[in-house]
């Protein structure tokens, strides 16, 4: 949703014209695929991280405009909430010491942004959901300045026709309503991009769908919302409910939500774009003057603007991306399942695991998705979100006997997926020192059974047991998290608990 749009758009209500343009774009995509016009493989990866602005008290700060003005870099952009920022790392070739280079770029960029945020009494925190967010923080008045946010909020509210309902039943239960999409801003994530050829796209996307549950299980970092302890990774249910344009009657009819895991394995990238048109009404019917078919007839490459914009309002956890760079179209798989944080080292470990495992799974002749029912992959994803690193997942049985078996996610990672991830990183040409360092973080996380979500929950309960009330315990947990995040020590090494307050006179 990085498209810049104007709040007052002529023809905004002309959905018939927009729908016609969408189908022209889809036909243009089909021609591009048939004519093999896409860019050659470049083994390019990209990384985006959404961030929170937090004060020294652990509470959110609604100051992204002031912080961005001071950062003065196009690498940093606004996100939905005024307490959000996003950092974008330029694409890198997936080879050599790329993981360490990315880690150093992130450390440098985040440290600079943190210093600039400090000039307005805020700091940068990478976390899936900020534990100290309150319902009063997530209101339309705290949406970032920008026409695209206002327009998206207005269109989603109009499509739903009533308040958005939040109902997440986890360790505790949260029930509430919102008159805007602002609760979506609580969800801050890491987005991993991989440019792939059309031929490889379905294998990579299918592999990413199967792997999503494992990523969440070992990387969960969002156990709290509005003072309640919910799922270990509460972003997916929150995101789905805060963007759900379906009133109760449409949900009962089986209409699909805009935040969607999917319902089948695919055979082409075309399948996903076609589903987006077939199942989801346009939210932002803004027409571009380009005639994509005429551009193709003239030998050019169309932007497919309407298709790209519509695709940005369907929130798949693994999203297809069409883009044009240097006059050549390309396709990417955008992996959106991971929460932000806890540290740069943890983010890079999650990144190494994903890119290594995806390479190995996509190239495995015994296709994982041919042995795992899609329904099982979707159920695994919910289980992982609920239980995090303690989740048990259904997975194809090794050997020739076929079928599936349930096993702890950590066992699956240690015994099967880490060796695959290592082989995948080798195939990319990643240096062994990077491979071993970052996959070693995942290994230790699994052996100790500790990730960001478990650390947050254990530290919160430790604070409660020490006599703090709930709000004070959440704030203390957040402050301690921010302190340890800045050490860049991986989260499985963090001590549980918050420091005792200093006694008077000491």
């Amino acid at each position: 949703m990085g498209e810049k749009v104007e709040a007052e758009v002529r023809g905004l209500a002309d959905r018939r014209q927009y729908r016609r343009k969408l189908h022209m774009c889809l036909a243009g995509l089909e021609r591009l695929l048939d004519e093999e016009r896409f860019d050659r493989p470049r083994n390019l990866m990209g990384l985006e991280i959404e961030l929170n602005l937090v004060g020294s008290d652990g509470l959110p700060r609604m100051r992204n405009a002031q912080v961005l003005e001071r950062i003065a870099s196009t690498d940093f952009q606004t996100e939905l909430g005024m307490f959000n920022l996003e950092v974008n790392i330029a694409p890198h070739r997936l080879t050599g010491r790329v993981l360490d280079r990315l880690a150093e770029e992130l450390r440098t960029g985040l440290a600079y942004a943190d210093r600039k945020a400090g000039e307005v009494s805020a700091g940068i925190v990478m976390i899936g959901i900020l534990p100290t967010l309150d319902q009063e923080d997530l209101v339309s008045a705290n949406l970032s300045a920008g026409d695209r946010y206002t327009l998206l909020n207005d269109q989603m509210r109009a499509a739903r026709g009533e308040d958005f309902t939040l109902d997440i039943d986890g360790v505790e239960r949260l029930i509430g309503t919102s008159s805007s999409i602002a609760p979506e801003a609580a969800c801050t994530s890491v987005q991993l991009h991989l440019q792939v050829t059309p031929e490889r796209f379905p294998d990579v996307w299918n592999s990413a769908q199967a792997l999503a549950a494992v990523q969440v299980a070992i990387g969960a970092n969002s156990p709290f919302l509005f003072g309640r302890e919910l799922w270990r990774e509460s972003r997916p249910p929150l995101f789905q409910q805060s963007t759900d344009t379906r009133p109760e009657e449409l949900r009962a009819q089986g209409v699909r939500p805009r935040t969607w895991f999917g319902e089948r394995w695919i055979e082409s990238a075309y399948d996903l774009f076609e589903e987006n048109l077939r199942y989801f009404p346009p939210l932002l019917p803004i027409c571009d003057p380009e005639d994509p078919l005429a551009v193709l007839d003239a030998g050019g490459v169309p932007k497919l603007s309407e298709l790209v914009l519509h695709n940005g309002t369907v929130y798949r956890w693994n999203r297809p991306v069409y883009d044009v760079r240097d006059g050549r179209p390309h396709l990417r798989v955008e992996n959106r399942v991971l929460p932000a944080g806890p540290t740069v080292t943890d983010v890079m470990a999650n990144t190494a695991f994903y890119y290594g495992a995806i390479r190995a799974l996509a190239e495995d002749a015994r296709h994982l998705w041919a042995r795992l029912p899609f329904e099982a992959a979707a159920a695994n994803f919910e289980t992982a979100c609920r239980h995090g690193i303690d989740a048990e997942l259904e997975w194809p049985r090794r050997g020739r006997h076929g079928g599936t078996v349930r096993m702890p996610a950590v066992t699956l990672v240690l015994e099967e997926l880490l060796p695959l991830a290592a082989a995948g990183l080798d195939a990319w040409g990643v240096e062994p020192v990077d491979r071993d360092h970052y996959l070693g973080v995942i290994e230790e996380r699994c052996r100790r059974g500790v990730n960001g979500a478990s650390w947050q929950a254990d530290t919160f309960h430790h604070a409660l047991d020490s006599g703090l009330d709930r709000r004070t315990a959440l704030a203390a947990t957040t402050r301690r998290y921010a302190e340890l995040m800045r050490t860049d020590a991986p989260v499985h090494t963090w001590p549980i608990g918050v420091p005792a307050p200093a006694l008077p006179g000491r």
Side-chain angles (χ1 to χ4, degrees):
M1 279 306 302
E3 293 291 326
K4 290 187 176 181
V5 297
E6 298 178 4
E8 299 295 333
V9 180
R10 290 185 180 181
L12 188 61
D14 192 356
R15 295 178 182 273
R16 181 178 300 173
Q17 168 68 2
Y18 185 79
R19 186 173 287 112
R20 187 180 72 85
K21 285 295 299 290
L22 272 176
H23 284 280
M24 289 172 64
C25 288
L26 187 63
L29 176 66
E30 187 173 30
R31 278 182 56 178
L32 286 166
L33 290 167
D34 290 343
E35 295 170 9
E36 300 182 353
R37 298 276 300 278
F38 282 84
D39 198 5
R40 65 187 185 280
R42 296 187 182 184
N43 295 347
L44 289 177
M45 59 167 286
L47 179 67
E48 304 169 36
I49 306 177
E50 295 163 349
L51 309 164
N52 291 275
L53 293 173
V54 180
S56 59
D57 54 4
L59 302 181
R61 291 291 184 268
M62 308 296 168
R63 297 174 184 170
N64 64 359
Q66 298 96 309
V67 174
L68 285 170
E69 182 180 3
R70 285 163 172 79
I71 293 174
S73 168
T74 56
D75 292 343
F76 289 83
Q77 301 174 0
T78 58
E79 255 299 329
L80 184 62
M82 292 172 65
F83 60 95
N84 298 144
L85 299 176
E86 181 177 84
V87 59
N88 298 283
I89 301 299
H92 284 59
R93 192 173 299 279
L94 192 48
T95 190
R97 297 298 304 275
V98 63
L99 298 174
D100 250 10
R101 289 200 307 273
L102 280 170
E104 188 56 33
E105 285 184 33
L106 274 174
R107 291 188 191 102
T108 301
L110 292 177
Y112 174 73
D114 197 46
R115 289 195 301 272
K116 291 300 180 181
E119 295 176 7
V120 292
S121 301
I124 301 291
V125 174
M126 291 192 298
I127 194 167
I129 296 176
L130 191 63
T132 51
L133 282 170
D134 205 343
Q135 286 180 287
E136 288 73 23
D137 297 316
L138 297 174
V139 294
S140 56
N142 287 334
L143 293 177
S144 291
D147 292 335
R148 73 177 185 267
Y149 302 118
T150 300
L151 186 58
L152 183 64
N153 182 56
D154 291 346
Q155 291 299 300
M156 294 190 86
R157 289 178 59 197
R160 183 173 174 87
E162 59 188 55
D163 284 351
F164 296 87
T165 301
L166 302 179
D167 186 353
I168 305 173
D169 193 4
V171 177
E172 300 174 296
R173 189 171 186 181
L174 171 69
I175 299 177
T177 61
S178 174
S179 61
S180 75
I181 64 171
E184 178 193 336
C187 305
T188 46
S189 66
V190 173
Q191 292 141 36
L192 302 174
H193 290 253
L194 179 62
Q195 182 179 335
V196 296
T197 63
E199 295 75 23
R200 289 194 66 200
F201 188 98
D203 292 348
V204 172
W205 189 87
N206 288 339
S207 298
Q209 287 288 94
L211 191 64
V214 183
Q215 290 179 271
V216 168
I218 61 176
N221 196 28
S222 314
F224 297 106
L225 178 66
F226 298 161
R228 303 293 178 89
E229 185 177 355
L230 302 173
W231 295 10
R232 284 301 183 250
E233 187 51 47
S234 303
R235 287 168 42 256
L238 172 59
F239 205 105
Q240 177 172 323
Q241 293 176 22
S242 62
T243 61
D244 196 348
T245 55
R246 306 169 302 166
E248 184 177 337
E249 295 79 8
L250 292 185
R251 291 198 301 274
Q253 293 171 34
V255 172
R256 296 154 181 84
R258 296 194 85 95
T259 299
W260 196 37
F261 186 80
E263 61 190 17
R264 64 182 177 122
W265 306 118
I266 65 165
E267 298 179 358
S268 167
Y270 179 88
D271 296 346
L272 300 176
F273 289 100
E274 189 276 332
E275 280 183 348
N276 287 354
L277 268 65
R278 180 154 41 103
Y279 294 145
F280 301 104
L283 284 178
L284 303 173
I286 303 163
C287 290
D288 188 277
E290 175 188 77
D291 182 331
L293 301 182
V295 171
L296 280 168
D297 289 340
V301 175
K303 296 178 296 183
L304 306 184
S305 298
E306 290 82 5
L307 192 73
V308 169
L309 183 59
H310 184 59
N311 187 57
T313 65
V314 179
Y315 303 100
R316 296 178 183 270
W317 296 109
N318 285 290
R319 176 187 276 167
V321 177
Y322 170 89
D323 202 357
V324 180
R325 294 288 169 87
D326 301 323
R328 296 293 300 273
H330 72 255
L331 293 171
R332 301 195 304 270
V333 174
E334 180 189 15
N335 178 261
R336 301 160 49 83
V337 305
L338 286 168
T343 66
V344 169
T345 294
D346 286 304
V347 168
M348 294 315 304
N350 292 338
T351 299
F353 177 76
Y354 171 74
Y355 284 115
I358 281 298
R359 175 71 181 256
L361 291 173
E363 294 184 350
D364 190 340
R366 297 186 66 216
H367 289 157
L368 173 64
W369 52 96
R371 298 177 286 135
L372 181 69
F374 192 92
E375 295 75 15
N380 280 345
F381 185 67
E382 179 172 330
T383 297
C385 291
R386 285 183 178 274
H387 302 293
I389 207 159
D390 297 320
E392 291 192 354
L393 306 177
E394 183 176 349
W395 203 255
R397 192 188 308 272
R398 284 189 284 183
R400 300 181 178 180
H401 301 292
T404 60
V405 63
R406 291 195 69 80
M407 67 174 74
V410 293
T411 301
L412 173 61
V413 172
L414 290 170
E415 295 184 358
E416 186 168 344
L417 292 177
L418 270 178
L420 283 177
L425 291 176
D426 288 344
W428 287 119
V430 171
E431 289 287 339
V433 63
D434 272 19
R435 175 200 67 199
D436 295 343
H437 174 61
Y438 290 109
L439 293 186
V441 172
I442 299 296
E443 180 178 3
E444 282 303 303
R445 201 188 291 169
C446 290
R447 292 197 186 281
R448 301 189 192 193
V450 175
N451 61 11
S454 68
W455 183 90
Q456 287 187 58
D458 289 347
T459 295
F460 167 71
H461 287 288
H462 182 277
L464 286 180
D465 292 342
S466 73
L468 299 182
D469 63 72
R470 177 174 286 251
R471 289 177 64 88
T472 306
L474 286 168
T477 298
T478 303
R479 292 195 302 271
R480 181 62 170 158
Y481 179 104
E483 176 187 345
L484 293 170
M485 180 199 76
R486 289 180 174 88
T487 71
D488 201 33
V491 71
H492 66 263
T493 67
W494 292 6
I496 300 298
V498 297
L503 296 176
R506 293 192 179 182

